[in-house]
Amino acid sequence: EMPSSLTSIESFAFGGCSSLVQLSFPASLKSIGKFAFVGCSTLKKISMPSSINKDDLEINSNVEIELQI
């Protein structure tokens, strides 16, 4: 589980993490680096605040993006 004080995810933060399936980020998150999930071949779902522009992320097309309101 991510800490509720988390405000940013750097580029390549999860790069190459081939065991990730699902990630959920807190409402406090303000930014995600463009290539934060590069090489995450098993990632299926990311839940993140709606303030994050999902179009700015470089992720596989099969990853479901759930925006938190």
Side-chain angles (χ1 to χ4, degrees):
E1 187 169 315
M2 303 288 173
S4 61
S5 59
L6 185 67
T7 59
S8 67
I9 301 294
E10 298 295 322
S11 291
F12 301 100
F14 297 99
C17 293
S18 59
S19 62
L20 288 177
V21 176
Q22 182 173 337
L23 288 168
S24 182
F25 295 107
S28 60
L29 189 66
K30 303 296 181 212
S31 66
I32 299 177
K34 188 169 183 172
F35 299 105
F37 309 107
V38 70
C40 297
S41 56
T42 58
L43 187 59
K44 300 293 179 203
K45 183 176 181 180
I46 300 172
S47 179
M48 63 185 183
S50 59
S51 59
I52 303 292
N53 186 350
K54 67 179 185 172
D55 296 330
D56 289 343
L57 303 177
E58 293 287 330
I59 56 172
N60 294 332
S61 60
N62 63 328
V63 176
E64 176 188 350
I65 302 289
E66 177 183 82
L67 297 176
Q68 307 157 353
I69 298 173

